[in-house]
Amino acid sequence: MQKKIKDIGELGLIRKLSQAISTDKSVIKGIGDDAAVIKFTANKYLLFKTDMVVEGEHFTRKMPARLIGRKALARNISDIAAMGGIPTYAVISLGIPPLVKATFVMELFQGINEIAKKFHINIVGGDTSKASKTFISIALLGWVEKSKLVLRSTARKGDLIFVTGNLGASFKTGKHLNFTPRIKESRFLVGKYKPTAMIDISDGLVLDLHHILEASRCGAFIYEEFIPRAPKAGLHNALYDGEDYELLFTLPGTKAARLIRNLRKSRHKFPISCIGELVDKKCGLIFIDSKYRLSKLAPRGFTHF
Ligand SMILES: [Mg+2]
């Protein structure tokens, strides 16, 4: 019997597709990070990213159209933030069932426009098509100074693990619709500390940390008492709920100590927590609870299919 997509899973599908692709020397990093990294100028790389939201999967038509549009672009911006970069130009493709009201589409675009303006992104084109479900697919360009690029794959054993903001209440509070992508925070971090690895938390802390661990060939210890939980968020929500769109990053000892010292002096305008450290790959991802019990966390969180 032929395998179905649901048998392979989302990560398996991406792995299979990426094996079928080859890139030339202009591509610094292709599939496997938050955005592609491409040769650009002497001092800068281009960042290139696409992301799709689909009715019934990511949103329902009962949600405000403006926020759906906003989220569709904000998710892309969050991935540019995860690379340490600045977003610039976007093209937008829209699939629309014929009976959808025109005002819904106008409001959708209003939301896209609002967040584009806020981040100085130019919308420079797109495409529309009839479709059985509404979907929005956005491709976003950005750039980053070569010296500030942060990949998932360059963390090292001994680095400490940090996260911005707090986790776990995105769906309860509507943060998943109206979050502000962490561009400002990312630019601050790459300017002042230059993390060894970074990712935005879209699939959940555990799964996104696993993405860094796999790419960087490391294991990790994380501590329950240090995981910043949003008000009313349970531990399980903080570990596994996706769509917090905070930054998860790693720093080597001396830089980590400098950041922690500055946190204590409240020199930063946004919250950052140190949640654990990177260890040998063979340890896997170890969770230490408040009673010092250890458990191994499997790469689980949100995936499609
Ligand atoms: Mg991402």
Side-chain angles (χ1 to χ4, degrees):
M1 201 171 65
Q2 280 214 318
K3 269 193 183 162
K4 305 254 168 41
I5 296 298
K6 77 173 177 50
D7 303 323
I8 307 171
E10 184 183 17
L11 299 179
L13 176 66
I14 293 169
R15 207 169 294 135
K16 263 190 182 313
L17 293 173
S18 58
Q19 279 162 5
I21 286 167
S22 69
T23 51
D24 67 25
K25 278 194 290 202
S26 63
V27 180
I28 304 298
K29 180 77 209 172
I31 294 171
D33 215 303
D34 291 88
V37 184
I38 299 160
K39 275 190 184 167
F40 187 33
T41 67
N43 304 319
K44 289 175 184 168
Y45 292 126
L46 265 184
L47 300 171
F48 195 18
K49 167 76 207 169
T50 186
D51 197 62
M52 180 158 61
V53 293
V54 179
E55 182 184 344
E57 301 292 335
H58 303 93
F59 67 89
T60 67
R61 239 182 285 164
K62 284 190 189 129
M63 293 175 182
R66 190 178 64 79
L67 291 181
I68 297 166
R70 187 190 184 282
K71 178 176 180 175
L73 181 52
R75 283 158 55 101
N76 273 285
I77 300 171
S78 183
D79 280 322
I80 298 292
M83 309 302 289
I86 291 173
T88 51
Y89 298 94
V91 289
I92 296 159
S93 298
L94 200 58
I96 324 162
L99 295 179
V100 166
K101 287 192 185 120
T103 51
F104 178 87
V105 181
M106 292 315 294
E107 280 169 36
L108 203 77
F109 259 86
Q110 191 198 338
I112 296 175
N113 247 327
E114 275 172 21
I115 192 146
K117 275 217 181 96
K118 188 174 164 139
F119 285 91
H120 310 291
I121 294 165
N122 289 287
I123 296 165
V124 291
D127 192 19
T128 55
S129 169
K130 188 168 87 170
S132 56
K133 278 180 180 178
T134 305
F135 70 83
I136 312 154
S137 172
I138 299 182
L140 180 62
L141 275 177
W143 60 264
V144 62
E145 300 88 344
K146 286 184 177 176
S147 61
K148 292 182 178 170
L149 172 72
V150 187
L151 299 174
R152 293 177 182 179
S153 53
T154 36
R156 284 164 302 210
K157 198 164 82 173
D159 289 353
L160 298 189
I161 307 164
F162 294 85
V163 66
T164 62
N166 59 30
L167 305 176
S170 198
F171 295 106
K172 254 184 233 161
T173 60
K175 181 185 176 188
H176 74 106
L177 281 172
N178 60 22
F179 68 95
T180 300
R182 300 296 184 213
I183 292 285
K184 209 173 62 193
E185 292 79 359
S186 160
R187 293 296 291 171
F188 173 82
L189 290 169
V190 295
K192 284 254 183 202
Y193 297 98
K194 183 68 198 297
T196 45
M198 189 151 65
I199 191 168
D200 66 322
I201 301 182
S202 54
D203 297 334
L205 173 64
V206 168
L207 191 53
D208 285 315
L209 179 54
H210 262 290
H211 292 326
I212 287 183
L213 298 183
E214 197 178 350
S216 294
R217 302 176 171 279
C218 285
F221 282 11
I222 56 171
Y223 299 85
E224 177 180 3
E225 60 184 310
F226 297 145
I227 294 170
R229 271 196 248 166
K232 291 188 186 157
L235 176 64
H236 192 272
N237 300 117
L239 289 174
Y240 295 107
D241 280 14
E243 309 222 4
D244 274 304
Y245 298 103
E246 295 293 346
L247 295 170
L248 177 66
F249 62 96
T250 54
L251 285 176
T254 47
K255 284 182 184 173
R258 183 156 59 85
L259 174 61
I260 291 166
R261 268 199 302 275
N262 285 335
L263 288 174
R264 281 192 52 204
K265 292 176 192 159
S266 307
R267 291 224 175 115
H268 300 313
K269 293 205 170 66
F270 58 97
I272 301 176
S273 310
C274 180
I275 62 167
E277 64 187 317
L278 296 183
V279 295
D280 204 275
K281 182 178 168 57
K282 65 174 183 289
C283 295
L285 174 50
I286 303 283
F287 175 74
I288 300 159
D289 77 8
S290 52
K291 296 198 172 97
Y292 293 104
R293 289 174 302 206
L294 278 68
S295 50
K296 206 162 186 166
L297 301 182
R300 203 154 60 77
F302 186 82
T303 60
H304 286 282
F305 311 120

